[in-house]
Amino acid sequence: MPLVRQEVFPEKKLPDAAELLASGGDAAKDYRVGPNPFLSQHNVDSEASYKRKSAASRRIMHHAQVGFRSLDKSCRAYAEIYDTCLAQDVTIDRYGLCLDWSMGYPADQRHDRPQGTGLLLADIDDFIRLTQCAPVAPHFGDFVLGLPAAFENTTAALAAGSTAIGNLGQYFTFRLPHWDDDIFTTSATLKALGLIAAQEVEVLVHSNLDDGFAALFCDLSCCLGAVLLEKYIVNDLIGANISHCYGHHFSDPTRRMAFHLALAQVSASPGTMIYGNTTRYRGNEQENYASLEAYISVDIAGQNLEPTGHAINPVPVSENIRIPDIDEIIAAQVFAARLVEQPLAPNSSLDMELAHRLAGEMVFGAIKFQHNVLDGFTRAGIDIDNPFEMLLALKRIGGKRLEQLFGPGLVDASAPRGRTPLIASTIIDEISELARHHLAQVSSEDKRMVGKLNLKVMTATTDVHEHGKLLLDRVLTEVGITVIDGGVSTDADDLASLARDEGVEAIAVSTYNGVALTFALDLKAELKRLDLDLPVIFGGRLNQIPQASNTSMPVDVSEDIISTGAFVCEKPEDAIALLAKIIIGRDGQ
Ligand code: B12
């Protein structure tokens, strides 16, 4: 179906973009980039200048991700990682400061909101305290731009001397629990962008593509097309400077390199960082070192070939097991620094000739995607000169439909988004591979039983992590279960009502953000309120930071979830066996 304005914007009137940008710009009188040891020690006015100098001298920069729940621990990490690495001749250039998702709510509404596992900062003084701990560039990359608290968090990040602020990628895909006011979120983001654009020094508007649509696009040209669209909105319409990050989902070395080369061609500012290929961390720590080496060697080679100012990000090898601690962060940084010094053997799976060719095709596809989107929006009556309309339209339409409507690939009804990708992204293949593996683990007895039952199961996620659900959907469907979509970033009350309306026989929830127990309690309470006695199965990352705890690390809450009456399954095949047992036990079939 072609796009129509009414469907995207049912509102009669939207806030005035120019007014929002101007009010953000006015605030630049009061909120400017403050001092910190990074800026003074390197005698630069912004991280962008530092990045240009480092890239010109071909020095590879290091990014480390930090953000423990407690400020004291985060301050200790800020100093200790820098000092310990320096003692081993490794310079940490920047920290990605990972705020908690509750920091995305306006400050006066934060106190009773669900908290994840990230850093909580009470006020501007806390932001400043953190960045004074070492001469490392503070990158406030998550839960600042793109969320309801965008403006206030940006003022605090600037005061703390941060000159790379994000994360515009999150604007497009993240939803905070019980927050549906996307007009408020867009207004706050635009005002923050106005404030950034009016700064006297260059402040990079960071956007992590993998937090945005790149996690879901099937065609890498659409990921690069998202770069062009964001650059059009931020640079051309607003007058600020966008800077992109990618990496979590880029597992194939040649396509990872091709994306780097293509991004270098279309970017106007230095990049922030290349994220680790974290989706390949599936084993124990020793096994994950192989994944670390595989992607970081491509990123090092990429920076040697085409220095874009991106810092490399050696993600600690415990990433898939727990939130990495200080010593684990240091170990990964030292490993990567030593790798930089090695005479690198050519990576056998990296085909440079192909990478260059794919980069060219990707740029071509990206331009076509951008053109298709702008043309399609114009035809629908969306004002493409208005940054408010552009942002909100992209967010509301969403990655999957944008790709269906405007992807550069040829129409093919059998392809995942109805188009043959010009350059296929790797994540969809990875999920298919995992689905095949888990399907093979389902016993033939369970397959036979479940096949007979004609079950209807609703699957949902509590947060942005969608791959667990996609995997589950595939495996359940293959054994003959009808899967009903309960949504992504769903609230417990909405999920319970939807389950009632759809008449499903069970609910399966995939959860990752450290809210597993709270969500289980809420969902069970909602189901009780609706007088529904449905089996609920939880899987994913079942942990949470205990309320009355002085530890800043999450603990496993599987047993607590079980004591709410819900079930816990590690793998899709376990859920299938459990469903067969429950339903047969209940109905005596
Ligand atoms: C990919 C990823 C992302 C992507 C998600 C893209 C998308 N649209 O899905 C992006 C980059 C957007 C992302 C964002 C964030 N992420 Co993340 N992410 C991951 C990562 C790398 C992989 C998770 C995944 O999808 N795995 C693929 C699935 C298929 O495999 P699996 O997880 O092993 O699942 C198995 C089982 O658990 C089972 N399963 C899963 N669900 C279910 C459900 C049922 C019912 C059953 C039966 C089974 C089942 O299926 C699999 C079978 O083997 C993990 C680290 C890691 N390597 O695991 C972090 C991780 C989950 N993320 C984390 C965090 C903190 C975040 C952020 C808050 C970071 C930030 N500051 O922005 C945000 C989330 C913000 C939000 N609002 O929700 C943390 C969670 C910490 C915790 N709870 O302890 C992790 C563990 C990383 C870490 N160590 O810090 N992330």
Side-chain angles (χ1 to χ4, degrees), residues 265-283:
Q265 284 183 46
V266 302
S267 297
S269 304
T272 42
M273 72 279 196
I274 308 179
Y275 217 93
N277 178 202
T278 49
T279 56
R280 292 306 285 190
Y281 283 28
R282 300 219 186 100

Side-chain angles (χ1 to χ4, degrees), residues 98 174 211 278 319 438 464-466 510 512-513 541 543:
C98 189
F174 281 30
D211 278 327
T278 49
E319 155 91 3
H438 288 288
V464 76
H465 296 93
E466 195 176 342
S510 181
Y512 281 86
N513 264 16
R541 202 54 44 103
N543 64 4

Side-chain angles (χ1 to χ4, degrees), residues 65 98-99 101 117 142-143 167 170 173-176 208 210-212 215-216 248-249 278-282 318-324 431 434 438 462-469 471-472 489 507-515 537-541 543-544 554 568-575:
Q65 197 69 14
C98 189
L99 296 184
W101 69 345
T117 52
D142 285 314
F143 300 106
N167 173 345
Q170 290 183 323
T173 49
F174 281 30
R175 175 182 178 270
L176 295 174
N208 181 349
D210 293 63
D211 278 327
L216 303 167
H248 302 261
H249 303 93
T278 49
T279 56
R280 292 306 285 190
Y281 283 28
R282 300 219 186 100
S318 53
E319 155 91 3
N320 59 327
I321 304 161
R322 56 182 166 270
I323 293 189
I431 293 173
L434 278 174
H438 288 288
T462 64
D463 49 76
V464 76
H465 296 93
E466 195 176 342
H467 302 151
K469 173 175 156 32
L471 171 69
L472 202 61
S489 301
I507 303 177
V509 180
S510 181
T511 179
Y512 281 86
N513 264 16
V515 293
I537 306 174
F538 278 84
R541 202 54 44 103
N543 64 4
Q544 191 153 330
V568 161
C569 286
E570 212 181 301
K571 298 174 185 142
E573 57 269 30
D574 303 341

Side-chain angles (χ1 to χ4, degrees), residues 52-328:
R52 286 196 185 91
K53 278 191 205 170
S54 301
S57 65
R58 302 219 159 227
R59 195 181 73 76
I60 291 180
M61 289 165 276
H62 282 235
H63 171 104
Q65 197 69 14
V66 174
F68 299 102
R69 167 68 72 81
S70 105
L71 174 59
D72 284 345
K73 180 157 183 186
S74 296
C75 286
R76 182 153 68 78
Y78 209 110
E80 201 173 313
I81 296 167
Y82 176 78
D83 290 339
T84 314
C85 285
L86 196 63
Q88 296 178 68
D89 270 341
V90 182
T91 301
I92 304 297
D93 299 277
R94 63 196 324 269
Y95 285 129
L97 300 165
C98 189
L99 296 184
D100 189 65
W101 69 345
S102 61
M103 291 287 296
Y105 294 102
D108 57 355
Q109 297 181 39
R110 265 174 218 161
H111 60 282
D112 57 350
R113 298 290 190 166
Q115 294 177 339
T117 52
L119 171 63
L120 297 172
L121 298 175
D123 50 31
I124 285 192
D125 291 342
D126 277 2
F127 279 71
I128 295 175
R129 191 182 141 202
L130 184 61
T131 64
Q132 304 306 306
C133 298
V136 179
H139 158 106
F140 281 96
D142 285 314
F143 300 106
V144 180
L145 290 178
L147 288 255
F151 181 72
E152 58 202 274
N153 283 343
T154 299
T155 61
L158 290 170
S162 180
T163 55
I165 298 178
N167 173 345
L168 199 65
Q170 290 183 323
Y171 168 81
F172 299 108
T173 49
F174 281 30
R175 175 182 178 270
L176 295 174
H178 301 286
W179 187 279
D180 290 316
D181 191 348
D182 56 5
I183 300 278
F184 184 105
T185 305
T186 311
S187 302
T189 299
L190 218 51
K191 198 171 158 194
L193 288 169
L195 171 62
I196 289 177
Q199 293 299 307
E200 282 166 6
V201 302
E202 185 176 357
V203 176
L204 298 174
V205 174
H206 158 82
S207 175
N208 181 349
L209 293 163
D210 293 63
D211 278 327
F213 296 140
L216 303 167
F217 279 154
C218 297
D219 188 340
L220 287 182
S221 351
C222 296
C223 298
L224 195 71
V227 169
L228 298 182
L229 285 165
E230 291 178 20
K231 190 173 145 205
Y232 166 69
I233 299 169
V234 173
N235 292 30
D236 300 351
L237 300 182
I238 298 176
N241 297 300
I242 190 101
S243 174
H244 283 100
C245 156
Y246 67 94
H248 302 261
H249 303 93
F250 290 71
S251 302
D252 173 63
T254 304
R255 280 176 271 178
R256 191 173 175 93
M257 177 62 87
F259 195 82
H260 166 69
L261 297 171
L263 185 61
Q265 284 183 46
V266 302
S267 297
S269 304
T272 42
M273 72 279 196
I274 308 179
Y275 217 93
N277 178 202
T278 49
T279 56
R280 292 306 285 190
Y281 283 28
R282 300 219 186 100
N284 60 29
E285 298 181 23
Q286 289 79 4
E287 289 165 329
N288 289 342
Y289 265 110
S291 306
L292 169 58
E293 204 269 349
Y295 80 78
I296 208 94
S297 57
V298 175
D299 299 343
I300 294 168
Q303 287 307 307
N304 284 333
L305 184 70
E306 188 75 63
T308 49
H310 284 100
I312 57 166
N313 178 10
V315 173
V317 289
S318 53
E319 155 91 3
N320 59 327
I321 304 161
R322 56 182 166 270
I323 293 189
D325 220 328
I326 296 176
D327 54 336
E328 296 169 327

